[in-house]
Amino acid sequence: MSSSPAAKHQTKHLFITGGVVSSLGKGITAASVAFLLARRGYRVRMQKLDPYLNVDPGTMSPFQHGEVYVTEDGAETDLDLGHYERFSGVDCTRASNFTAGRVYQTVLERERKGEYLGRTVQVIPHITNEINRCIASLGGDDVDIAITEIGGTAGDIESLPFLEAIRQYRQKVGAKNALFLHLTLVPYIAAAKEVKTKPAQQSASILRGIGIMPDFLLCRSEKPLTQDNIEKLAMFCSVPEENVIQVVDVPHTIYEVPTVLAAQQFDAKILRALGLPENTLEISDWEAMVQDYIHPRQGEVTIGVVGKYVSVSDAYKSINESLIHAGIANHAQIKFLHLEAEQVTAETAANLLKDCHGILVPGGFGDRGVAGKIETIRFARENKVPLFGICLGMQLACIETARNVAGLADANSTEFDMHSKNPVIDLMHDQRSVTQMGGSMRLGSYPCDLKAGSKSAAAYGQTRITERHRHRYEFNNAFRPALEKAGLVFAGTSPNGELVEIIERPDHPWFVAGQFHPEFKSTPLKPHPLFRDFVAASLKNRDGK
Ligand code: GLN
């Protein structure tokens, strides 16, 4: 008998849509599902499709859109990808985030090249076909389950081509190979003392009108649902009762969500619906991490984050999460003190920063708040408060030392003063001719060599590391001797020695700043070594050691 040819590998797809309102935590839910399926032994990939027209979020203000998350391969993406990586531990790529703008750009470029010659170019089929190509690009021989989150809310005009595309996708690959998960709101109305199912029914009905019948209904609510609620939702949203999953507000941390879903066998039910073996689920390390978070035996440590977007909680999402991870690693609860950089001056610094056990100066663009960040760094340096500078934070740490220790009074970055006689931070040659704003910075993962004996080398436990970047300006090597004399150590550089990646002050308990963004690589189970040691130093400072 001849053996039959090996069956072609089929990537299975999960599509997650949102209903009623935005900000329900679709990203966290999708990330939790990815984590559970990965723990059941499946090779998972994740993706977000955003209906807005920017080609990517790279040029959007954090006030508009929150943080821009950067992948290993240098894509500037939606901050939900941060949740995907932190929960699932799987790296995202360029194929993990597409916007309507990028889809249209591709189609229009093809149109200009004449690839549709003679035909009318239309949303259906040309835009929907391109969306389907984006979805398919996530799959492959090394992917068992591809999870696609559709941004926006069912009923949005701009989501329509995306919803039509996933309807077509499932039609093509069949119900065993693609499932629809709909996350919706089931609000508790205090006056009626009741949970109300009508908004969820209506969002399911919007989807039905587009030809999408959800396989699972994920119900975000403040209060647990009653059996009566569940029966009603199942009946009027056309979902089997056991596929109505409750996502009730978690009491302590978003990292409890996977456990909430697993307790309802959600991941096992998905696998059954896809016709895949359930395997076993082992998440005791994750649950222990959550317990460590809930019971911090070292108490509280206050970390000041001095930035210019502090009024938007999502603007420093990955930094906040990385600090939380570092807190867990040190058995301490992080008390965040988010300070508006513009308020910090030579007069106010001592008072504003007096309660901080450690101070973090994050990245940023433009000169608003720069003076306050420099004052903050001076305060930390002079008062021996642990300081962690990130990207712009590192550039300003160099400027602060240049001005206040090396005596170069007008030291600056050419981002803020084109005519500074002491441009300690400057454009590299290959950035001088750049005129296009989008996607033109130093982006993505680069290697860095650490100086043996430095605090950074001690933190990482190795001397070759890689970290993700997103910046245009660099340290100007002409100033290395002056700043070394002023007490800085260049503890990390690119392997050829050309680019300064980390600076430290050996005369200080913990003064470390990096040109990269370590916050994009921290996960709750693998806290980033620099964040971990920064929080450890802050705890020591708190305890006066
Ligand atoms: N604005 C600085 C630069 O472009 C720093 C960027 C950042 O902090 N991400 O180099």
Side-chain angles (χ1 to χ4, degrees):
M1 255 174 45
S2 66
S3 60
S4 62
K8 199 174 162 309
H9 176 77
Q10 169 79 52
T11 301
K12 309 258 183 179
H13 290 264
L14 302 180
F15 297 108
I16 304 195
T17 56
V20 184
V21 291
S22 59
S23 306
L24 284 182
K26 232 187 310 158
I28 290 169
T29 309
S32 301
V33 171
F35 165 72
L36 294 171
L37 295 174
R39 284 300 179 97
R40 286 190 188 261
Y42 289 95
R43 296 166 301 172
V44 177
R45 290 275 167 80
M46 302 197 72
Q47 172 184 67
K48 173 135 192 230
L49 303 181
D50 276 311
Y52 55 74
L53 287 177
N54 300 64
V55 171
D56 63 41
T59 55
M60 269 194 252
S61 158
F63 285 120
Q64 279 276 313
H65 189 264
E67 137 190 308
V68 173
Y69 189 79
V70 181
T71 57
E72 281 291 293
D73 60 355
E76 297 175 277
T77 70
D78 186 82
L79 56 80
D80 272 332
L81 274 70
H83 293 306
Y84 300 171
E85 292 198 354
R86 288 187 284 270
F87 279 77
S88 72
V90 177
D91 279 347
C92 290
T93 67
R94 270 178 196 283
S96 302
N97 196 194
F98 292 93
T99 68
R102 193 159 152 210
V103 168
Y104 273 83
Q105 190 184 42
T106 307
V107 170
L108 293 177
E109 276 168 6
R110 256 184 235 145
E111 188 273 340
R112 291 291 81 184
K113 278 193 212 143
E115 289 181 25
Y116 305 107
L117 263 196
R119 272 172 292 156
T120 309
V121 181
Q122 292 176 301
V123 172
I124 298 172
H126 301 101
I127 294 296
T128 45
N129 284 352
E130 176 56 19
I131 296 172
N132 277 332
R133 198 194 57 76
C134 298
I135 294 168
S137 75
L138 194 63
D141 285 344
D142 56 345
V143 184
D144 300 318
I145 303 173
I147 302 177
T148 298
E149 175 190 348
I150 311 294
T153 307
D156 293 346
I157 289 177
E158 58 249 33
S159 303
L160 279 173
F162 290 92
L163 297 176
E164 167 59 13
I166 61 174
R167 185 196 68 73
Q168 292 180 10
Y169 205 96
R170 154 125 140 186
Q171 191 61 27
K172 267 188 278 180
V173 298
K176 269 271 171 229
N177 295 318
L179 298 177
F180 295 129
L181 283 41
H182 186 54
L183 180 73
T184 189
L185 178 70
V186 186
Y188 175 76
I189 305 298
K193 294 201 178 62
E194 255 180 5
V195 157
K196 291 290 183 187
T197 61
K198 185 62 68 68
Q201 293 179 37
Q202 282 170 340
S203 71
S205 137
I206 291 172
L207 286 182
R208 267 203 311 277
I210 306 170
I212 292 177
M213 302 276 275
D215 299 287
F216 288 89
L217 200 64
L218 292 146
C219 302
R220 287 284 291 116
S221 62
E222 274 172 69
K223 306 255 175 189
L225 305 182
T226 61
Q227 183 54 30
D228 186 46
N229 298 146
I230 293 171
E231 283 168 18
K232 223 170 172 182
L233 286 162
M235 172 57 73
F236 295 109
C237 300
S238 299
V239 172
E241 235 175 77
E242 64 274 18
N243 288 4
V244 176
I245 306 292
Q246 303 194 41
V247 198
V248 181
D249 289 353
V250 285
H252 306 102
T253 161
I254 53 171
Y255 297 122
E256 289 171 278
V257 175
T259 314
V260 169
L261 298 179
Q264 298 169 77
Q265 295 286 307
F266 181 38
D267 48 336
K269 288 174 188 170
I270 289 175
L271 291 171
R272 249 175 270 152
L274 292 171
L276 292 172
E278 282 171 37
N279 304 337
T280 48
L281 179 67
E282 164 49 36
I283 55 170
S284 56
D285 54 341
W286 186 273
E287 289 176 332
M289 174 275 292
V290 170
Q291 286 308 311
D292 282 344
Y293 173 84
I294 297 172
H295 307 288
R297 60 173 191 267
Q298 298 293 339
E300 205 171 71
V301 60
T302 304
I303 303 293
V305 178
V306 183
K308 63 188 265 200
Y309 316 109
V310 288
S311 58
V312 184
S313 65
D314 276 351
Y316 300 112
K317 188 90 213 156
S318 293
I319 287 181
N320 295 344
E321 291 304 313
S322 302
L323 285 168
I324 289 171
H325 306 158
I328 295 170
N330 285 284
H331 303 283
Q333 164 114 39
I334 306 292
K335 182 172 179 201
F336 287 92
L337 197 64
H338 283 110
L339 290 170
E340 204 37 89
E342 276 173 302
Q343 286 171 6
V344 185
T345 63
E347 290 72 43
T348 63
N351 190 41
L352 287 174
L353 298 167
K354 66 177 185 311
D355 295 329
C356 297
H357 302 126
I359 297 173
L360 189 151
V361 178
F365 294 83
D367 64 0
R368 188 175 67 79
V370 159
K373 289 181 178 177
I374 292 177
E375 271 315 317
T376 301
I377 294 165
R378 180 218 279 264
F379 175 88
R381 179 177 57 76
E382 291 180 347
N383 295 284
K384 307 265 189 241
V385 179
L387 178 99
F388 192 11
I390 293 181
C391 206
L392 180 63
M394 176 211 109
Q395 298 175 353
L396 298 179
C398 295
I399 293 170
E400 194 279 326
T401 285
R403 286 185 190 173
N404 300 331
V405 186
L408 306 171
D410 80 332
N412 216 329
S413 163
T414 49
E415 181 179 3
F416 314 125
D417 178 4
M418 298 265 283
H419 307 292
S420 166
K421 286 199 199 60
N422 292 295
V424 173
I425 307 295
D426 198 4
L427 282 181
M428 296 291 288
H429 281 292
D430 57 356
Q431 282 286 346
R432 284 182 211 270
S433 53
V434 170
T435 52
Q436 186 171 318
M437 293 298 272
S440 58
M441 288 186 264
R442 173 144 82 109
L443 287 167
S445 183
Y446 285 85
C448 165
D449 283 347
L450 304 177
K451 204 172 230 156
S454 63
K455 291 194 177 76
S456 303
Y460 285 95
Q462 62 194 70
T463 52
R464 167 60 66 88
I465 59 162
T466 58
E467 290 285 0
R468 298 184 199 172
H469 291 249
R470 179 173 185 253
H471 55 99
R472 225 178 276 289
Y473 294 81
E474 306 278 354
F475 182 82
N476 180 345
N477 288 329
F479 292 89
R480 278 204 208 185
L483 293 203
E484 248 161 1
K485 235 177 167 177
L488 288 191
V489 160
F490 299 98
T493 61
S494 54
N496 67 4
E498 284 295 308
L499 299 169
V500 170
E501 307 284 43
I502 304 182
I503 56 133
E504 296 182 4
R505 287 201 80 90
D507 64 353
H508 187 286
W510 210 88
F511 189 106
V512 177
Q515 183 59 82
F516 47 82
H517 289 273
E519 70 271 25
F520 297 142
K521 286 180 63 160
S522 184
T523 76
L525 292 180
K526 275 198 208 141
H528 191 283
L530 291 181
F531 276 93
R532 185 200 61 214
D533 282 13
F534 166 61
V535 168
S538 305
L539 274 166
K540 269 194 189 165
N541 180 35
R542 179 197 72 179
D543 298 339
K545 284 180 203 149

